[in-house]
Amino acid sequence: YVFNDGGKNKAEIKKVEAEIISLNNTSTSVYFDLRKQFLLLEEEYKANQKKKALMKELNDLAKEVRDTAKAQLISGRSSIKDVMNAEVSLAESQVELIIANADLITGSFRANAISGDFLPYIGWNIPQ
């Protein structure tokens, strides 16, 4: 220990202590930010599950309408235009169902990434 260092050691100690406090504050901030993102994703996921269920019902209804329109075409109670409109409605509902599924999958990947479970989920490991 040097007695006449001009306070250099004391200043370095204070600097390191300040860095430790800063790192603690940063890690706490990151934790709360990730927690907030995770909670938002959880709410998004629940909303997407409801959307998927509704799109599934809409898709089933569109199939029923299409089948009815086809059956009525044979008996002459509907036109080809009605059948085509029913087909378009069915296709639109199928697209919406696919989008709802994609939103669910994307949300689950993002949640896994935030919680730290993403890399093992896809079979990757971080080398130590």
Side-chain angles (χ1 to χ4, degrees):
Y1 184 78
V2 178
F3 287 104
N4 292 327
D5 66 352
K8 179 181 171 191
N9 286 339
K10 196 175 213 181
E12 287 201 26
I13 290 171
K14 287 199 181 273
K15 176 185 164 195
V16 169
E17 287 173 347
E19 287 176 1
I20 289 171
I21 291 171
S22 173
L23 289 173
N24 283 336
N25 291 340
T26 301
S27 66
T28 302
S29 172
V30 167
Y31 169 78
F32 285 118
D33 185 45
L34 288 175
R35 178 149 172 77
K36 180 179 76 170
Q37 287 180 25
F38 186 79
L39 291 174
L40 287 172
L41 281 173
E42 188 176 35
E43 290 302 316
E44 231 178 78
Y45 187 78
K46 288 176 185 176
N48 284 334
Q49 282 181 319
K50 289 178 184 177
K51 179 182 175 184
K52 180 183 175 184
L54 291 173
M55 288 299 117
K56 177 70 173 135
E57 288 179 25
L58 183 63
N59 190 38
D60 292 342
L61 183 60
K63 283 181 184 177
E64 188 177 317
V65 168
R66 180 204 55 192
D67 293 342
T68 302
K70 281 184 177 181
Q72 288 179 349
L73 178 66
I74 293 171
S75 66
R77 294 182 62 201
S78 86
S79 66
I80 192 72
K81 183 179 179 181
D82 295 332
V83 174
M84 294 307 291
N85 286 339
E87 288 286 351
V88 168
S89 294
L90 177 61
E92 288 172 349
S93 70
Q94 287 174 337
V95 167
E96 288 297 322
L97 184 59
I98 290 169
I99 290 171
N101 279 329
D103 289 343
L104 276 173
I105 292 169
T106 302
S108 67
F109 279 136
R110 290 176 61 203
N112 277 331
I114 287 174
S115 67
D117 295 334
F118 184 66
L119 292 180
Y121 181 77
I122 61 173
W124 290 1
N125 292 319
I126 298 175
Q128 299 296 332

